[in-house]
PDB file of all heavy atoms in Angstrom:
ATOM      1  N   ASP P 181       6.268  -3.226  -6.435  1.00 94.00           N
ATOM      2  CA  ASP P 181       7.545  -3.718  -5.922  1.00 94.00           C
ATOM      3  C   ASP P 181       7.972  -2.906  -4.702  1.00 94.00           C
ATOM      4  O   ASP P 181       7.304  -1.957  -4.289  1.00 94.00           O
ATOM      5  CB  ASP P 181       8.619  -3.683  -7.010  1.00 94.00           C
ATOM      6  CG  ASP P 181       8.871  -2.289  -7.578  1.00 94.00           C
ATOM      7  OD1 ASP P 181       8.491  -1.291  -6.925  1.00 94.00           O
ATOM      8  OD2 ASP P 181       9.441  -2.187  -8.676  1.00 94.00           O
ATOM      9  N   ALA P 182       9.109  -3.274  -4.113  1.00 94.00           N
ATOM     10  CA  ALA P 182       9.571  -2.642  -2.870  1.00 94.00           C
ATOM     11  C   ALA P 182       9.809  -1.152  -3.059  1.00 94.00           C
ATOM     12  O   ALA P 182       9.486  -0.342  -2.175  1.00 94.00           O
ATOM     13  CB  ALA P 182      10.837  -3.334  -2.367  1.00 94.00           C
ATOM     14  N   GLY P 183      10.371  -0.756  -4.203  1.00 94.00           N
ATOM     15  CA  GLY P 183      10.622   0.658  -4.453  1.00 94.00           C
ATOM     16  C   GLY P 183       9.337   1.459  -4.508  1.00 94.00           C
ATOM     17  O   GLY P 183       9.260   2.585  -3.989  1.00 94.00           O
ATOM     18  N   THR P 184       8.317   0.889  -5.142  1.00 95.00           N
ATOM     19  CA  THR P 184       7.018   1.569  -5.212  1.00 95.00           C
ATOM     20  C   THR P 184       6.400   1.676  -3.826  1.00 95.00           C
ATOM     21  O   THR P 184       5.843   2.719  -3.459  1.00 95.00           O
ATOM     22  CB  THR P 184       6.078   0.814  -6.163  1.00 95.00           C
ATOM     23  OG1 THR P 184       6.660   0.771  -7.473  1.00 95.00           O
ATOM     24  CG2 THR P 184       4.721   1.500  -6.241  1.00 95.00           C
ATOM     25  N   LEU P 185       6.505   0.612  -3.031  1.00 96.00           N
ATOM     26  CA  LEU P 185       5.942   0.657  -1.682  1.00 96.00           C
ATOM     27  C   LEU P 185       6.704   1.630  -0.788  1.00 96.00           C
ATOM     28  O   LEU P 185       6.119   2.241   0.110  1.00 96.00           O
ATOM     29  CB  LEU P 185       5.926  -0.747  -1.070  1.00 96.00           C
ATOM     30  CG  LEU P 185       4.962  -1.742  -1.744  1.00 96.00           C
ATOM     31  CD1 LEU P 185       5.040  -3.102  -1.074  1.00 96.00           C
ATOM     32  CD2 LEU P 185       3.523  -1.217  -1.724  1.00 96.00           C
ATOM     33  N   ASP P 186       8.008   1.808  -1.035  1.00 95.00           N
ATOM     34  CA  ASP P 186       8.755   2.847  -0.314  1.00 95.00           C
ATOM     35  C   ASP P 186       8.182   4.229  -0.637  1.00 95.00           C
ATOM     36  O   ASP P 186       8.062   5.087   0.240  1.00 95.00           O
ATOM     37  CB  ASP P 186      10.235   2.810  -0.699  1.00 95.00           C
ATOM     38  CG  ASP P 186      10.991   1.662  -0.050  1.00 95.00           C
ATOM     39  OD1 ASP P 186      10.481   1.085   0.928  1.00 95.00           O
ATOM     40  OD2 ASP P 186      12.089   1.346  -0.558  1.00 95.00           O
ATOM     41  N   ALA P 187       7.834   4.441  -1.907  1.00 96.00           N
ATOM     42  CA  ALA P 187       7.245   5.714  -2.319  1.00 96.00           C
ATOM     43  C   ALA P 187       5.859   5.892  -1.705  1.00 96.00           C
ATOM     44  O   ALA P 187       5.479   7.002  -1.309  1.00 96.00           O
ATOM     45  CB  ALA P 187       7.167   5.788  -3.844  1.00 96.00           C
ATOM     46  N   VAL P 188       5.103   4.803  -1.611  1.00 97.00           N
ATOM     47  CA  VAL P 188       3.791   4.856  -0.955  1.00 97.00           C
ATOM     48  C   VAL P 188       3.961   5.249   0.512  1.00 97.00           C
ATOM     49  O   VAL P 188       3.216   6.093   1.035  1.00 97.00           O
ATOM     50  CB  VAL P 188       3.069   3.496  -1.076  1.00 97.00           C
ATOM     51  CG1 VAL P 188       1.838   3.454  -0.174  1.00 97.00           C
ATOM     52  CG2 VAL P 188       2.663   3.232  -2.521  1.00 97.00           C
ATOM     53  N   LYS P 189       4.952   4.660   1.179  1.00 96.00           N
ATOM     54  CA  LYS P 189       5.170   4.985   2.587  1.00 96.00           C
ATOM     55  C   LYS P 189       5.555   6.450   2.761  1.00 96.00           C
ATOM     56  O   LYS P 189       5.091   7.124   3.692  1.00 96.00           O
ATOM     57  CB  LYS P 189       6.263   4.085   3.167  1.00 96.00           C
ATOM     58  CG  LYS P 189       6.448   4.250   4.665  1.00 96.00           C
ATOM     59  CD  LYS P 189       7.395   3.208   5.234  1.00 96.00           C
ATOM     60  CE  LYS P 189       7.510   3.347   6.751  1.00 96.00           C
ATOM     61  NZ  LYS P 189       8.404   2.309   7.328  1.00 96.00           N
ATOM     62  N   ALA P 190       6.380   6.969   1.866  1.00 96.00           N
ATOM     63  CA  ALA P 190       6.761   8.383   1.931  1.00 96.00           C
ATOM     64  C   ALA P 190       5.542   9.283   1.738  1.00 96.00           C
ATOM     65  O   ALA P 190       5.382  10.297   2.428  1.00 96.00           O
ATOM     66  CB  ALA P 190       7.828   8.684   0.886  1.00 96.00           C
ATOM     67  N   LEU P 191       4.677   8.904   0.799  1.00 97.00           N
ATOM     68  CA  LEU P 191       3.468   9.689   0.569  1.00 97.00           C
ATOM     69  C   LEU P 191       2.522   9.583   1.756  1.00 97.00           C
ATOM     70  O   LEU P 191       1.871  10.569   2.138  1.00 97.00           O
ATOM     71  CB  LEU P 191       2.775   9.214  -0.717  1.00 97.00           C
ATOM     72  CG  LEU P 191       1.561  10.028  -1.165  1.00 97.00           C
ATOM     73  CD1 LEU P 191       1.945  11.480  -1.451  1.00 97.00           C
ATOM     74  CD2 LEU P 191       0.917   9.392  -2.400  1.00 97.00           C
ATOM     75  N   LEU P 192       2.434   8.410   2.372  1.00 97.00           N
ATOM     76  CA  LEU P 192       1.597   8.249   3.565  1.00 97.00           C
ATOM     77  C   LEU P 192       2.089   9.146   4.691  1.00 97.00           C
ATOM     78  O   LEU P 192       1.285   9.762   5.400  1.00 97.00           O
ATOM     79  CB  LEU P 192       1.595   6.786   4.018  1.00 97.00           C
ATOM     80  CG  LEU P 192       0.687   6.444   5.191  1.00 97.00           C
ATOM     81  CD1 LEU P 192      -0.778   6.628   4.820  1.00 97.00           C
ATOM     82  CD2 LEU P 192       0.931   5.016   5.684  1.00 97.00           C
ATOM     83  N   ASN P 193       3.409   9.241   4.861  1.00 97.00           N
ATOM     84  CA  ASN P 193       3.958  10.132   5.891  1.00 97.00           C
ATOM     85  C   ASN P 193       3.581  11.587   5.640  1.00 97.00           C
ATOM     86  O   ASN P 193       3.449  12.378   6.580  1.00 97.00           O
ATOM     87  CB  ASN P 193       5.483  10.004   5.947  1.00 97.00           C
ATOM     88  CG  ASN P 193       5.939   8.753   6.661  1.00 97.00           C
ATOM     89  OD1 ASN P 193       5.204   8.171   7.451  1.00 97.00           O
ATOM     90  ND2 ASN P 193       7.162   8.328   6.384  1.00 97.00           N
ATOM     91  N   GLU P 194       3.402  11.928   4.377  1.00 96.00           N
ATOM     92  CA  GLU P 194       3.064  13.305   4.016  1.00 96.00           C
ATOM     93  C   GLU P 194       1.571  13.572   4.082  1.00 96.00           C
ATOM     94  O   GLU P 194       1.133  14.619   4.577  1.00 96.00           O
ATOM     95  CB  GLU P 194       3.570  13.593   2.604  1.00 96.00           C
ATOM     96  CG  GLU P 194       3.219  14.965   2.067  1.00 96.00           C
ATOM     97  CD  GLU P 194       3.581  15.137   0.603  1.00 96.00           C
ATOM     98  OE1 GLU P 194       4.343  14.300   0.063  1.00 96.00           O
ATOM     99  OE2 GLU P 194       3.110  16.103  -0.018  1.00 96.00           O
ATOM    100  N   ARG P 195       0.751  12.607   3.603  1.00 98.00           N
ATOM    101  CA  ARG P 195      -0.675  12.850   3.411  1.00 98.00           C
ATOM    102  C   ARG P 195      -1.568  12.167   4.455  1.00 98.00           C
ATOM    103  O   ARG P 195      -2.734  12.486   4.578  1.00 98.00           O
ATOM    104  CB  ARG P 195      -1.099  12.387   2.003  1.00 98.00           C
ATOM    105  CG  ARG P 195      -0.346  13.049   0.860  1.00 98.00           C
ATOM    106  CD  ARG P 195      -0.588  14.534   0.805  1.00 98.00           C
ATOM    107  NE  ARG P 195      -2.023  14.814   0.656  1.00 98.00           N
ATOM    108  CZ  ARG P 195      -2.571  15.994   0.895  1.00 98.00           C
ATOM    109  NH1 ARG P 195      -1.832  17.004   1.307  1.00 98.00           N
ATOM    110  NH2 ARG P 195      -3.872  16.173   0.747  1.00 98.00           N
ATOM    111  N   ALA P 196      -1.061  11.169   5.174  1.00 98.00           N
ATOM    112  CA  ALA P 196      -1.725  10.499   6.313  1.00 98.00           C
ATOM    113  C   ALA P 196      -2.823   9.519   5.910  1.00 98.00           C
ATOM    114  O   ALA P 196      -3.056   8.529   6.617  1.00 98.00           O
ATOM    115  CB  ALA P 196      -2.265  11.517   7.312  1.00 98.00           C
ATOM    116  N   VAL P 197      -3.522   9.765   4.804  1.00 98.00           N
ATOM    117  CA  VAL P 197      -4.573   8.873   4.315  1.00 98.00           C
ATOM    118  C   VAL P 197      -4.402   8.720   2.809  1.00 98.00           C
ATOM    119  O   VAL P 197      -4.317   9.720   2.092  1.00 98.00           O
ATOM    120  CB  VAL P 197      -5.987   9.429   4.617  1.00 98.00           C
ATOM    121  CG1 VAL P 197      -7.065   8.499   4.057  1.00 98.00           C
ATOM    122  CG2 VAL P 197      -6.190   9.658   6.106  1.00 98.00           C
ATOM    123  N   LEU P 198      -4.354   7.462   2.330  1.00 98.00           N
ATOM    124  CA  LEU P 198      -4.221   7.193   0.893  1.00 98.00           C
ATOM    125  C   LEU P 198      -5.355   6.285   0.447  1.00 98.00           C
ATOM    126  O   LEU P 198      -5.649   5.276   1.092  1.00 98.00           O
ATOM    127  CB  LEU P 198      -2.878   6.529   0.576  1.00 98.00           C
ATOM    128  CG  LEU P 198      -1.612   7.304   0.975  1.00 98.00           C
ATOM    129  CD1 LEU P 198      -0.370   6.505   0.590  1.00 98.00           C
ATOM    130  CD2 LEU P 198      -1.591   8.689   0.327  1.00 98.00           C
ATOM    131  N   VAL P 199      -5.969   6.639  -0.690  1.00 98.00           N
ATOM    132  CA  VAL P 199      -7.101   5.892  -1.240  1.00 98.00           C
ATOM    133  C   VAL P 199      -6.685   5.307  -2.580  1.00 98.00           C
ATOM    134  O   VAL P 199      -6.322   6.047  -3.503  1.00 98.00           O
ATOM    135  CB  VAL P 199      -8.326   6.816  -1.419  1.00 98.00           C
ATOM    136  CG1 VAL P 199      -9.502   6.031  -1.987  1.00 98.00           C
ATOM    137  CG2 VAL P 199      -8.704   7.474  -0.089  1.00 98.00           C
ATOM    138  N   PHE P 200      -6.738   3.982  -2.682  1.00 98.00           N
ATOM    139  CA  PHE P 200      -6.354   3.280  -3.912  1.00 98.00           C
ATOM    140  C   PHE P 200      -7.612   2.674  -4.534  1.00 98.00           C
ATOM    141  O   PHE P 200      -8.252   1.798  -3.941  1.00 98.00           O
ATOM    142  CB  PHE P 200      -5.336   2.168  -3.608  1.00 98.00           C
ATOM    143  CG  PHE P 200      -4.052   2.662  -2.997  1.00 98.00           C
ATOM    144  CD1 PHE P 200      -3.942   2.847  -1.624  1.00 98.00           C
ATOM    145  CD2 PHE P 200      -2.953   2.942  -3.794  1.00 98.00           C
ATOM    146  CE1 PHE P 200      -2.755   3.304  -1.060  1.00 98.00           C
ATOM    147  CE2 PHE P 200      -1.765   3.402  -3.235  1.00 98.00           C
ATOM    148  CZ  PHE P 200      -1.665   3.580  -1.868  1.00 98.00           C
ATOM    149  N   ARG P 201      -7.952   3.127  -5.722  1.00 97.00           N
ATOM    150  CA  ARG P 201      -9.157   2.652  -6.408  1.00 97.00           C
ATOM    151  C   ARG P 201      -8.822   1.475  -7.329  1.00 97.00           C
ATOM    152  O   ARG P 201      -7.677   1.259  -7.731  1.00 97.00           O
ATOM    153  CB  ARG P 201      -9.767   3.784  -7.235  1.00 97.00           C
ATOM    154  CG  ARG P 201     -10.131   5.031  -6.437  1.00 97.00           C
ATOM    155  CD  ARG P 201     -11.266   4.799  -5.470  1.00 97.00           C
ATOM    156  NE  ARG P 201     -11.709   6.058  -4.862  1.00 97.00           N
ATOM    157  CZ  ARG P 201     -12.633   6.151  -3.902  1.00 97.00           C
ATOM    158  NH1 ARG P 201     -13.216   5.051  -3.435  1.00 97.00           N
ATOM    159  NH2 ARG P 201     -12.982   7.335  -3.404  1.00 97.00           N
ATOM    160  N   ASP P 202      -9.871   0.711  -7.652  1.00 96.00           N
ATOM    161  CA  ASP P 202      -9.811  -0.336  -8.682  1.00 96.00           C
ATOM    162  C   ASP P 202      -8.728  -1.377  -8.381  1.00 96.00           C
ATOM    163  O   ASP P 202      -7.932  -1.747  -9.258  1.00 96.00           O
ATOM    164  CB  ASP P 202      -9.568   0.281 -10.064  1.00 96.00           C
ATOM    165  CG  ASP P 202     -10.611   1.327 -10.423  1.00 96.00           C
ATOM    166  OD1 ASP P 202     -11.796   1.085 -10.152  1.00 96.00           O
ATOM    167  OD2 ASP P 202     -10.230   2.387 -10.945  1.00 96.00           O
ATOM    168  N   GLN P 203      -8.711  -1.862  -7.151  1.00 97.00           N
ATOM    169  CA  GLN P 203      -7.737  -2.875  -6.748  1.00 97.00           C
ATOM    170  C   GLN P 203      -8.336  -4.273  -6.854  1.00 97.00           C
ATOM    171  O   GLN P 203      -9.538  -4.464  -6.685  1.00 97.00           O
ATOM    172  CB  GLN P 203      -7.271  -2.621  -5.315  1.00 97.00           C
ATOM    173  CG  GLN P 203      -6.628  -1.267  -5.110  1.00 97.00           C
ATOM    174  CD  GLN P 203      -5.358  -1.101  -5.917  1.00 97.00           C
ATOM    175  OE1 GLN P 203      -4.439  -1.906  -5.836  1.00 97.00           O
ATOM    176  NE2 GLN P 203      -5.304  -0.027  -6.708  1.00 97.00           N
ATOM    177  N   LYS P 204      -7.487  -5.255  -7.133  1.00 97.00           N
ATOM    178  CA  LYS P 204      -7.868  -6.677  -7.133  1.00 97.00           C
ATOM    179  C   LYS P 204      -6.799  -7.408  -6.328  1.00 97.00           C
ATOM    180  O   LYS P 204      -5.725  -7.731  -6.858  1.00 97.00           O
ATOM    181  CB  LYS P 204      -7.959  -7.226  -8.557  1.00 97.00           C
ATOM    182  CG  LYS P 204      -9.099  -6.665  -9.384  1.00 97.00           C
ATOM    183  CD  LYS P 204     -10.451  -7.170  -8.897  1.00 97.00           C
ATOM    184  CE  LYS P 204     -11.572  -6.713  -9.821  1.00 97.00           C
ATOM    185  NZ  LYS P 204     -12.905  -7.173  -9.346  1.00 97.00           N
ATOM    186  N   LEU P 205      -7.081  -7.638  -5.050  1.00 96.00           N
ATOM    187  CA  LEU P 205      -6.082  -8.180  -4.151  1.00 96.00           C
ATOM    188  C   LEU P 205      -6.534  -9.493  -3.527  1.00 96.00           C
ATOM    189  O   LEU P 205      -7.674  -9.617  -3.061  1.00 96.00           O
ATOM    190  CB  LEU P 205      -5.807  -7.195  -3.006  1.00 96.00           C
ATOM    191  CG  LEU P 205      -5.103  -5.883  -3.338  1.00 96.00           C
ATOM    192  CD1 LEU P 205      -5.277  -4.906  -2.186  1.00 96.00           C
ATOM    193  CD2 LEU P 205      -3.634  -6.125  -3.604  1.00 96.00           C
ATOM    194  N   THR P 206      -5.644 -10.458  -3.512  1.00 97.00           N
ATOM    195  CA  THR P 206      -5.866 -11.633  -2.684  1.00 97.00           C
ATOM    196  C   THR P 206      -5.481 -11.282  -1.249  1.00 97.00           C
ATOM    197  O   THR P 206      -4.832 -10.263  -0.994  1.00 97.00           O
ATOM    198  CB  THR P 206      -5.007 -12.821  -3.156  1.00 97.00           C
ATOM    199  OG1 THR P 206      -3.616 -12.489  -2.949  1.00 97.00           O
ATOM    200  CG2 THR P 206      -5.237 -13.113  -4.643  1.00 97.00           C
ATOM    201  N   ARG P 207      -5.845 -12.135  -0.326  1.00 96.00           N
ATOM    202  CA  ARG P 207      -5.449 -11.889   1.066  1.00 96.00           C
ATOM    203  C   ARG P 207      -3.931 -11.862   1.208  1.00 96.00           C
ATOM    204  O   ARG P 207      -3.376 -11.037   1.938  1.00 96.00           O
ATOM    205  CB  ARG P 207      -6.035 -12.964   1.980  1.00 96.00           C
ATOM    206  CG  ARG P 207      -7.484 -12.739   2.336  1.00 96.00           C
ATOM    207  CD  ARG P 207      -7.968 -13.777   3.324  1.00 96.00           C
ATOM    208  NE  ARG P 207      -9.369 -13.555   3.654  1.00 96.00           N
ATOM    209  CZ  ARG P 207     -10.116 -14.399   4.337  1.00 96.00           C
ATOM    210  NH1 ARG P 207      -9.584 -15.549   4.754  1.00 96.00           N
ATOM    211  NH2 ARG P 207     -11.376 -14.132   4.612  1.00 96.00           N
ATOM    212  N   GLU P 208      -3.251 -12.748   0.526  1.00 96.00           N
ATOM    213  CA  GLU P 208      -1.795 -12.793   0.644  1.00 96.00           C
ATOM    214  C   GLU P 208      -1.157 -11.533   0.067  1.00 96.00           C
ATOM    215  O   GLU P 208      -0.163 -11.029   0.607  1.00 96.00           O
ATOM    216  CB  GLU P 208      -1.242 -14.047  -0.038  1.00 96.00           C
ATOM    217  CG  GLU P 208      -1.564 -15.337   0.714  1.00 96.00           C
ATOM    218  CD  GLU P 208      -1.138 -15.279   2.178  1.00 96.00           C
ATOM    219  OE1 GLU P 208       0.023 -14.896   2.445  1.00 96.00           O
ATOM    220  OE2 GLU P 208      -1.957 -15.604   3.059  1.00 96.00           O
ATOM    221  N   GLN P 209      -1.707 -11.015  -1.028  1.00 97.00           N
ATOM    222  CA  GLN P 209      -1.188  -9.758  -1.587  1.00 97.00           C
ATOM    223  C   GLN P 209      -1.461  -8.591  -0.641  1.00 97.00           C
ATOM    224  O   GLN P 209      -0.596  -7.727  -0.442  1.00 97.00           O
ATOM    225  CB  GLN P 209      -1.823  -9.503  -2.954  1.00 97.00           C
ATOM    226  CG  GLN P 209      -1.330 -10.462  -4.026  1.00 97.00           C
ATOM    227  CD  GLN P 209      -2.176 -10.408  -5.297  1.00 97.00           C
ATOM    228  OE1 GLN P 209      -3.358 -10.036  -5.259  1.00 97.00           O
ATOM    229  NE2 GLN P 209      -1.583 -10.785  -6.416  1.00 97.00           N
ATOM    230  N   HIS P 210      -2.643  -8.575  -0.064  1.00 97.00           N
ATOM    231  CA  HIS P 210      -3.015  -7.551   0.913  1.00 97.00           C
ATOM    232  C   HIS P 210      -2.017  -7.573   2.084  1.00 97.00           C
ATOM    233  O   HIS P 210      -1.500  -6.532   2.503  1.00 97.00           O
ATOM    234  CB  HIS P 210      -4.438  -7.856   1.395  1.00 97.00           C
ATOM    235  CG  HIS P 210      -5.077  -6.784   2.214  1.00 97.00           C
ATOM    236  ND1 HIS P 210      -6.385  -6.873   2.647  1.00 97.00           N
ATOM    237  CD2 HIS P 210      -4.618  -5.614   2.705  1.00 97.00           C
ATOM    238  CE1 HIS P 210      -6.695  -5.791   3.351  1.00 97.00           C
ATOM    239  NE2 HIS P 210      -5.635  -5.019   3.406  1.00 97.00           N
ATOM    240  N   LYS P 211      -1.729  -8.740   2.596  1.00 97.00           N
ATOM    241  CA  LYS P 211      -0.801  -8.889   3.723  1.00 97.00           C
ATOM    242  C   LYS P 211       0.634  -8.519   3.319  1.00 97.00           C
ATOM    243  O   LYS P 211       1.370  -7.911   4.108  1.00 97.00           O
ATOM    244  CB  LYS P 211      -0.855 -10.318   4.254  1.00 97.00           C
ATOM    245  CG  LYS P 211      -2.156 -10.640   4.975  1.00 97.00           C
ATOM    246  CD  LYS P 211      -2.324 -12.128   5.238  1.00 97.00           C
ATOM    247  CE  LYS P 211      -1.220 -12.696   6.087  1.00 97.00           C
ATOM    248  NZ  LYS P 211      -1.454 -14.118   6.410  1.00 97.00           N
ATOM    249  N   ARG P 212       1.021  -8.865   2.108  1.00 96.00           N
ATOM    250  CA  ARG P 212       2.379  -8.539   1.648  1.00 96.00           C
ATOM    251  C   ARG P 212       2.585  -7.040   1.613  1.00 96.00           C
ATOM    252  O   ARG P 212       3.625  -6.525   2.048  1.00 96.00           O
ATOM    253  CB  ARG P 212       2.617  -9.135   0.249  1.00 96.00           C
ATOM    254  CG  ARG P 212       3.999  -8.784  -0.336  1.00 96.00           C
ATOM    255  CD  ARG P 212       4.124  -9.211  -1.783  1.00 96.00           C
ATOM    256  NE  ARG P 212       3.260  -8.453  -2.664  1.00 96.00           N
ATOM    257  CZ  ARG P 212       3.552  -7.253  -3.164  1.00 96.00           C
ATOM    258  NH1 ARG P 212       4.692  -6.661  -2.862  1.00 96.00           N
ATOM    259  NH2 ARG P 212       2.708  -6.646  -3.992  1.00 96.00           N
ATOM    260  N   VAL P 213       1.603  -6.310   1.103  1.00 97.00           N
ATOM    261  CA  VAL P 213       1.709  -4.850   1.049  1.00 97.00           C
ATOM    262  C   VAL P 213       1.810  -4.288   2.465  1.00 97.00           C
ATOM    263  O   VAL P 213       2.677  -3.458   2.769  1.00 97.00           O
ATOM    264  CB  VAL P 213       0.501  -4.249   0.302  1.00 97.00           C
ATOM    265  CG1 VAL P 213       0.486  -2.726   0.462  1.00 97.00           C
ATOM    266  CG2 VAL P 213       0.543  -4.629  -1.167  1.00 97.00           C
ATOM    267  N   CYS P 214       0.949  -4.750   3.352  1.00 97.00           N
ATOM    268  CA  CYS P 214       0.915  -4.201   4.704  1.00 97.00           C
ATOM    269  C   CYS P 214       2.206  -4.493   5.467  1.00 97.00           C
ATOM    270  O   CYS P 214       2.652  -3.659   6.267  1.00 97.00           O
ATOM    271  CB  CYS P 214      -0.283  -4.779   5.457  1.00 97.00           C
ATOM    272  SG  CYS P 214      -0.667  -3.897   6.976  1.00 97.00           S
ATOM    273  N   ALA P 215       2.815  -5.652   5.219  1.00 95.00           N
ATOM    274  CA  ALA P 215       4.041  -6.020   5.929  1.00 95.00           C
ATOM    275  C   ALA P 215       5.198  -5.090   5.613  1.00 95.00           C
ATOM    276  O   ALA P 215       6.214  -5.101   6.315  1.00 95.00           O
ATOM    277  CB  ALA P 215       4.422  -7.463   5.594  1.00 95.00           C
ATOM    278  N   HIS P 216       5.065  -4.263   4.576  1.00 95.00           N
ATOM    279  CA  HIS P 216       6.118  -3.315   4.206  1.00 95.00           C
ATOM    280  C   HIS P 216       6.131  -2.104   5.145  1.00 95.00           C
ATOM    281  O   HIS P 216       7.051  -1.297   5.101  1.00 95.00           O
ATOM    282  CB  HIS P 216       5.906  -2.852   2.759  1.00 95.00           C
ATOM    283  CG  HIS P 216       7.108  -2.215   2.132  1.00 95.00           C
ATOM    284  ND1 HIS P 216       8.116  -2.951   1.552  1.00 95.00           N
ATOM    285  CD2 HIS P 216       7.465  -0.905   1.990  1.00 95.00           C
ATOM    286  CE1 HIS P 216       9.042  -2.134   1.083  1.00 95.00           C
ATOM    287  NE2 HIS P 216       8.676  -0.890   1.335  1.00 95.00           N
ATOM    288  N   PHE P 217       5.112  -1.998   5.999  1.00 94.00           N
ATOM    289  CA  PHE P 217       4.955  -0.825   6.854  1.00 94.00           C
ATOM    290  C   PHE P 217       5.200  -1.200   8.314  1.00 94.00           C
ATOM    291  O   PHE P 217       5.161  -2.353   8.697  1.00 94.00           O
ATOM    292  CB  PHE P 217       3.560  -0.230   6.665  1.00 94.00           C
ATOM    293  CG  PHE P 217       3.345   0.319   5.278  1.00 94.00           C
ATOM    294  CD1 PHE P 217       3.121  -0.538   4.204  1.00 94.00           C
ATOM    295  CD2 PHE P 217       3.396   1.676   5.041  1.00 94.00           C
ATOM    296  CE1 PHE P 217       2.949  -0.043   2.915  1.00 94.00           C
ATOM    297  CE2 PHE P 217       3.222   2.176   3.749  1.00 94.00           C
ATOM    298  CZ  PHE P 217       3.004   1.315   2.692  1.00 94.00           C
ATOM    299  N   GLY P 218       5.443  -0.195   9.145  1.00 86.00           N
ATOM    300  CA  GLY P 218       5.659  -0.441  10.558  1.00 86.00           C
ATOM    301  C   GLY P 218       6.875  -1.308  10.806  1.00 86.00           C
ATOM    302  O   GLY P 218       7.923  -1.145  10.161  1.00 86.00           O
TER     303      GLY P 218
END
């Protein structure tokens, strides 16, 4: 959800590279996550 993605963005600002294992994403889900950034 949006709150979790806010936490991901905060961690990205701190760590610069994040690796997420064992994902099952459709293209639309992939795009939805990315649209939360920038």
